Amino acid sequence: DQLAFAKAEGDSVSKCMQWLMKQNGIVSGQVSAGEYKIIYAFSNPEGWYEMSNDVLTWHKPSPTANAHLWLFVQDGADGRIVPPLSIKYSLSNEAGNVTDENNIDYAWMPLVNGYGNNVKLSGNGNYILNLDISPMPHRRHDPYNGDRFTNHTKAKINLSINPTQSS
């Protein structure tokens, strides 16, 4: 029964991902890497709320950011969102120059939880998005499927982006 419930949750998450990837102006796709299914999307830069000293503050996007990178990391077996991971990304342009690199933060979002960061693209063209996912900091309690998500995982994604077309 537990595995059936997990799969049903994953199916719901997958429906959210399909909706997200159909939105106008978003460059998106998906790849499999290790035990993960990774959905990626680029849109316009976004602001965010941050709590500091018990005060909630709205932060506008940096004027140097011209896109927002979204990552949604699902369990490749059942489709559920994988709890917070340590993920580092780098974006390289056609010339091989890194235009942006950073750790990407996990966020509790209205549609489905994932990762997001405003990024700097050097213009229209082809890019390579490299992802470096560290093993989970905690172990799974799963007597049926075993101890999973223990390996370091890398993904390389080839992109064609026009940041001025995002909406």
Side-chain angles (χ1 to χ4, degrees):
D1 288 344
Q2 290 178 13
L3 294 176
F5 289 136
K7 181 74 172 113
E9 179 182 334
D11 290 345
S12 178
V13 168
S14 292
K15 288 177 186 175
C16 291
M17 294 296 96
Q18 291 168 4
W19 179 86
L20 175 72
M21 292 192 325
K22 289 181 184 176
Q23 298 311 297
N24 293 329
I26 295 179
V27 174
S28 64
Q30 69 182 34
V31 297
S32 293
E35 296 182 84
Y36 305 106
K37 179 170 87 171
I38 302 167
I39 308 294
Y40 59 87
F42 286 85
S43 63
N44 281 333
E46 296 194 8
W48 68 96
Y49 284 104
E50 189 172 294
M51 185 68 80
S52 179
N53 298 325
D54 294 327
V55 176
L56 188 62
T57 305
W58 176 254
H59 295 271
K60 291 183 179 180
S62 163
T64 60
N66 60 356
H68 189 84
L69 169 62
W70 293 105
L71 294 177
F72 302 94
V73 182
Q74 294 176 268
D75 181 321
D78 61 35
R80 292 182 294 168
I81 292 292
V82 178
L85 297 163
S86 177
I87 302 176
K88 182 172 181 164
Y89 72 88
S90 69
L91 274 166
S92 301
N93 61 18
E94 289 178 283
N97 300 317
V98 174
T99 63
D100 200 328
E101 64 182 340
N102 207 338
N103 293 317
I104 190 163
D105 294 324
Y106 187 75
W108 188 21
M109 298 181 222
L111 179 63
V112 65
N113 297 334
Y115 302 80
N117 207 26
N118 290 327
V119 298
K120 173 67 177 152
L121 300 173
S122 59
N124 300 340
N126 297 319
Y127 288 83
I128 296 174
L129 172 62
N130 285 298
L131 303 176
D132 187 345
I133 305 172
S134 295
M136 292 181 80
H138 51 276
R139 302 285 42 98
R140 258 174 78 109
H141 173 71
D142 188 340
Y144 302 103
N145 295 308
D147 193 16
R148 299 176 57 223
F149 306 108
T150 58
N151 295 321
H152 199 84
T153 303
K154 294 185 181 233
K156 180 178 178 179
I157 303 166
N158 295 307
L159 305 163
S160 181
I161 309 177
N162 179 350
T164 60
Q165 291 180 345
S166 298
S167 61

